[in-house]
Amino acid sequence: MEVNKKRWLCGGTAAALALALAVAGIVCWFRTNRVPPPKTSIRIGVALYRGDDTFISTVRAALEERAKAYEQETGIKVVMDIVDAKLNQNTQNSQVERFISLGYDALCVNIVDRSAASIIIDKAMDAGIPVVFFNREPVEEDMNRWEKLYYIGADAKESAVLQGNILVDAYKKDPSCLDRNGDGMVSYVLLEGESSHQDSLIRTEWSIQTLKDGGVPLEKLTGGIANWERSQASAWMEQWISEYPEQIELVICNNDDMALGAIDAIKRANIPRGAIKVVGIDGTPVGKEALAAGDLFGTVESDREQYARVIFDIAAALALGKGVPEDIHLDGGKYYRCPQIALTGEK
Ligand code: BGC
């Protein structure tokens, strides 16, 4: 009797154990095989190299607009956290680390030092979080390290050729428009962006090349690096106006903010509006105001709405675990170059 009871107890325990195992197995199967419910919200971390850069602030505003429109179109809630590295790569690395540790779904990075992207890339790769770089292009070797890395920017050669052609057209129409003193040479000064930025070197090279190819006789008086900044450009221009009195006919600038700095100095020196021609690149709202006022001779505007739409839409699609939207055509599966147009006071 005792033996039977023991056997019965043993049998019962085994059956209960088998049942428990079966239930655990089913639960486990469902956990691994069930399709997760579609996401109803996404979190995107945006890291800016410098929040007070005029061009970058316009991209930021366009990104915020796009995020709002996207929420309305899709009903998906977007949390977009935007941080400013204030020109410090270490600060930016920590900001990105924080986004990663908080489990953000995608990152948009305007990197401070374009040659130092590998730290951010390594961390994002480990966590499986895609990165859309913009405006400051990481080196190719880094961009090729993972398929979930993208770059959005404006083609620097195209900006420069458009800028150069504004001047070529003006010279062809009326050489005295640029060669004010009629000595057969257009005497220019050059204001360049950060030396480490891909846009500075290429813009300078192709702007000058386009002028030469277009038959504009050129004489370079001097040039300087003003790091995209209005105040630095203004200081250079003030110095050059006193070093080369009455000689400067043209100021070629790698961006609009530096063009505005040059204009500030021209105004301080009481040189009549338009006597020295100044050209920029970006088509920022302040730049366009100067164009309308006749202070800026020409600029090249990048389509910021499209710029921001592409950055945001790629990040959002990847955040949802989808591929890049079909209407966005990428070069080499990674690069998008935003459309640009030349603007002059006449248009
Ligand atoms: C823009 C500049 C801006 C810089 C920042 C350039 O492409 O033309 O205005 O300051 O990017 O990275």
Side-chain angles (χ1 to χ4, degrees), residues 137-155:
E137 183 175 342
V139 293
E140 209 182 331
E141 199 186 323
D142 282 337
M143 287 300 293
N144 288 335
R145 295 204 16 231
W146 192 29
E147 75 275 10
K148 288 191 177 160
L149 303 174
Y150 301 87
Y151 176 74
I152 320 302
D155 184 81

Side-chain angles (χ1 to χ4, degrees), residues 57-135:
S57 347
T58 63
V59 174
R60 172 196 181 134
L63 271 173
E64 286 170 328
E65 282 301 306
R66 177 62 196 142
K68 270 190 235 151
Y70 177 90
E71 280 191 326
Q72 278 172 0
E73 281 165 24
T74 61
I76 293 170
K77 186 173 159 21
V78 177
V79 175
M80 196 162 73
D81 195 353
I82 305 182
V83 291
D84 175 5
K86 298 195 163 78
L87 211 55
N88 184 321
Q89 188 60 63
N90 291 333
T91 305
Q92 189 169 65
N93 292 347
S94 317
Q95 291 169 331
V96 167
E97 252 172 62
R98 184 181 146 268
F99 285 145
I100 292 175
S101 68
L102 292 173
Y104 274 59
D105 302 298
L107 302 172
C108 302
V109 180
N110 174 220
I111 197 151
V112 176
D113 176 355
R114 55 186 290 263
S115 64
S118 60
I119 299 176
I120 288 179
I121 293 175
D122 282 344
K123 298 217 156 95
M125 270 171 81
D126 283 350
I129 303 174
V131 189
V132 182
F133 289 99
F134 63 98
N135 169 259

Side-chain angles (χ1 to χ4, degrees), residues 261-274:
I263 291 166
D264 292 340
I266 290 171
K267 286 186 176 168
R268 281 199 303 276
N270 290 320
I271 295 170
R273 168 176 285 156

Side-chain angles (χ1 to χ4, degrees), residues 49 53 55 135-136 197 199 203 228 255 282:
Y49 95 105
D53 177 295
F55 176 74
N135 169 259
R136 303 166 74 88
H197 197 301
D199 287 345
R203 285 180 187 176
W228 309 117
N255 79 341
D282 281 343

Side-chain angles (χ1 to χ4, degrees), residues 83-341:
V83 291
D84 175 5
K86 298 195 163 78
L87 211 55
N88 184 321
Q89 188 60 63
N90 291 333
T91 305
Q92 189 169 65
N93 292 347
S94 317
Q95 291 169 331
V96 167
E97 252 172 62
R98 184 181 146 268
F99 285 145
I100 292 175
S101 68
L102 292 173
Y104 274 59
D105 302 298
L107 302 172
C108 302
V109 180
N110 174 220
I111 197 151
V112 176
D113 176 355
R114 55 186 290 263
S115 64
S118 60
I119 299 176
I120 288 179
I121 293 175
D122 282 344
K123 298 217 156 95
M125 270 171 81
D126 283 350
I129 303 174
V131 189
V132 182
F133 289 99
F134 63 98
N135 169 259
R136 303 166 74 88
E137 183 175 342
V139 293
E140 209 182 331
E141 199 186 323
D142 282 337
M143 287 300 293
N144 288 335
R145 295 204 16 231
W146 192 29
E147 75 275 10
K148 288 191 177 160
L149 303 174
Y150 301 87
Y151 176 74
I152 320 302
D155 184 81
K157 180 177 168 189
E158 184 187 41
S159 326
V161 170
L162 287 167
Q163 184 188 53
N165 277 331
I166 293 175
L167 298 167
V168 171
D169 290 349
Y171 186 82
K172 280 191 179 152
K173 231 181 184 177
D174 174 12
S176 72
C177 156
L178 296 179
D179 180 13
R180 202 164 40 112
N181 59 15
D183 68 352
M185 281 287 170
V186 176
S187 308
Y188 74 96
V189 295
L190 185 73
L191 281 163
E192 295 187 82
E194 293 161 280
S195 53
S196 56
H197 197 301
Q198 79 283 342
D199 287 345
S200 309
L201 280 169
I202 304 174
R203 285 180 187 176
T204 298
E205 183 190 339
W206 282 98
S207 204
I208 304 302
Q209 192 57 46
T210 306
L211 282 162
K212 285 184 182 159
D213 294 346
V216 179
L218 287 176
E219 175 198 28
K220 181 176 176 183
L221 295 173
T222 186
I225 293 172
N227 296 309
W228 309 117
E229 283 188 41
R230 184 168 180 158
S231 57
Q232 290 187 35
S234 167
W236 274 125
M237 191 63 190
E238 189 172 311
Q239 186 183 318
W240 298 337
I241 288 172
S242 64
E243 272 174 27
Y244 303 94
E246 309 272 318
Q247 291 176 64
I248 305 172
E249 293 169 317
L250 171 66
V251 191
I252 300 175
C253 310
N254 284 167
N255 79 341
D256 280 359
D257 252 23
M258 295 189 296
L260 293 168
I263 291 166
D264 292 340
I266 290 171
K267 286 186 176 168
R268 281 199 303 276
N270 290 320
I271 295 170
R273 168 176 285 156
I276 299 180
K277 300 290 184 285
V278 184
V279 285
I281 288 178
D282 281 343
T284 56
V286 261
K288 282 160 86 176
E289 269 169 35
L291 195 69
D295 289 323
L296 184 65
F297 186 66
T299 186
V300 177
E301 183 177 20
S302 39
D303 182 344
R304 273 180 307 277
E305 241 176 63
Q306 175 71 355
Y307 202 118
R309 187 184 79 78
V310 173
I311 298 171
F312 182 85
D313 286 11
I314 294 181
L318 298 168
L320 290 169
K322 298 183 182 165
V324 172
E326 273 173 16
D327 62 333
I328 298 176
H329 303 291
L330 300 174
D331 292 342
K334 282 184 176 293
Y335 294 92
Y336 181 85
R337 308 287 173 188
C338 178
Q340 316 180 66
I341 48 162

